[in-house]
Amino acid sequence: MRMEIFGPLFLSLLAGLSTMIGTLFIYIKFRNKDKFIIFSLSFSFTIMILISIFDLIPQSLTYLLNYYKFNGIVFFIVCFIIGYYIVIILNKMIRNNDTLYRIGILSTISLMLHNIPEGITVFMSSYVNIKLGLKLFLAILMHNIPEGISIAIPIYYSSNSRRKALIFTLISGISEPLGALISFLFLKNYINHLFISLILSFVSGLMISLSMNDIYQEIRYDDYKYIGYLSGVVGFIILNLII
């Protein structure tokens, strides 16, 4: 494989696998696991909301508004609503009464779909300009770590299985190099800004729906709400340093 192809593919692989760093927390014994679960869920809520509002939605809307004007708003709203309601439909399809487990599964699906266009972006930008690709790679690598936490912790504490937590987190992470591979093999000449923008608006709908309808509902009545507020502040600070 030529170096100009291997480099971008390798960067997307590393960025995706950085999600696995978040699984390190399942090996730490916490004195009060309920407090840690609330901290992790609140952290995940903050990360998903902020990534959607300050990263996915602006990227999507900027292009759609510049090139499609009013139609761009319609495209965005339609894709956002589809993403929003898909989470609600998936919620009904997951036959498990454990809310924490459902959150872990839905986080995996949402972040997997989020990581595929990220992989495409890292590959395409690195293929054109390796310096630009490296900058994107570092930014994505950093915010993939808290994404790994948002999958691993709910899965582990709902199933008591480190193996499941590792597998689901890996599925999400590996979707990033998968996106790069797809773009290299099939879509290199067809992927455009419109395609990426529509995917980003769709994923923002997924992530906001998951955050508001599942994660927030799980933590809003908990006795450790103050832990949730603290976690939200920590998530806000961390993500502001990354994006």
Side-chain angles (χ1 to χ4, degrees), residues 25-53:
F25 288 90
I26 67 176
Y27 293 97
I28 300 173
K29 294 290 184 183
F30 293 94
R31 192 181 309 173
N32 188 325
K33 76 171 186 178
D34 292 332
K35 285 185 179 181
F36 179 66
I37 289 171
I38 292 301
F39 184 91
S40 299
L41 289 178
S42 300
F43 185 77
S44 301
F45 172 85
T46 305
I47 292 295
M48 289 191 185
I49 290 288
L50 291 182
I51 285 176
S52 297
I53 293 174

Side-chain angles (χ1 to χ4, degrees), residues 55-209:
D55 187 9
L56 305 184
I57 292 175
Q59 281 189 59
S60 175
L61 271 179
T62 298
Y63 177 80
L64 292 174
L65 287 175
N66 284 343
Y67 289 90
Y68 295 93
K69 309 301 180 187
F70 177 75
N71 287 338
I73 298 176
V74 174
F75 294 158
F76 172 81
I77 292 173
V78 169
C79 290
F80 181 92
I81 290 174
I82 291 171
Y84 188 91
Y85 280 100
I86 277 181
V87 170
I88 295 173
I89 292 168
L90 288 173
N91 235 323
K92 294 177 181 178
M93 292 173 62
I94 298 172
R95 300 180 182 279
N96 192 303
N97 293 326
D98 192 323
T99 306
L100 198 58
Y101 182 80
R102 289 204 312 273
I103 287 173
I105 297 296
L106 292 169
S107 294
T108 303
I109 295 170
S110 299
L111 293 171
M112 180 182 71
L113 293 172
H114 171 217
N115 286 344
I116 288 174
E118 276 188 357
I120 293 171
T121 304
V122 170
F123 175 82
M124 297 301 286
S125 59
S126 303
Y127 186 72
V128 175
N129 183 334
I130 191 64
K131 288 184 178 179
L132 174 61
L134 281 169
K135 289 179 181 179
L136 283 171
F137 156 73
L138 289 172
I140 289 170
L141 181 147
M142 292 300 293
H143 86 234
N144 276 357
I145 296 172
E147 287 180 5
I149 295 172
S150 70
I151 296 170
I153 297 305
I155 292 291
Y156 172 63
Y157 281 104
S158 62
S159 66
N160 201 30
S161 169
R162 289 194 176 101
R163 183 170 172 270
K164 279 188 178 180
L166 290 169
I167 288 172
F168 281 106
T169 309
L170 180 61
I171 289 171
S172 172
I174 210 71
S175 64
E176 197 144 316
L178 177 63
L181 197 59
I182 290 171
S183 65
F184 168 60
L185 294 176
F186 307 110
L187 305 175
K188 190 168 60 175
N189 299 321
Y190 304 100
I191 290 176
N192 53 38
H193 288 295
L194 175 60
F195 175 81
I196 295 293
S197 297
L198 295 178
I199 290 293
L200 292 179
S201 58
F202 170 76
V203 173
S204 66
L206 285 175
M207 293 176 71
I208 287 177
S209 180

Side-chain angles (χ1 to χ4, degrees), residues 1-10 123 127 184 188:
M1 186 181 293
R2 292 177 300 173
M3 187 60 195
E4 61 266 28
I5 300 299
F6 175 79
L9 285 176
F10 185 65
F123 175 82
Y127 186 72
F184 168 60
K188 190 168 60 175

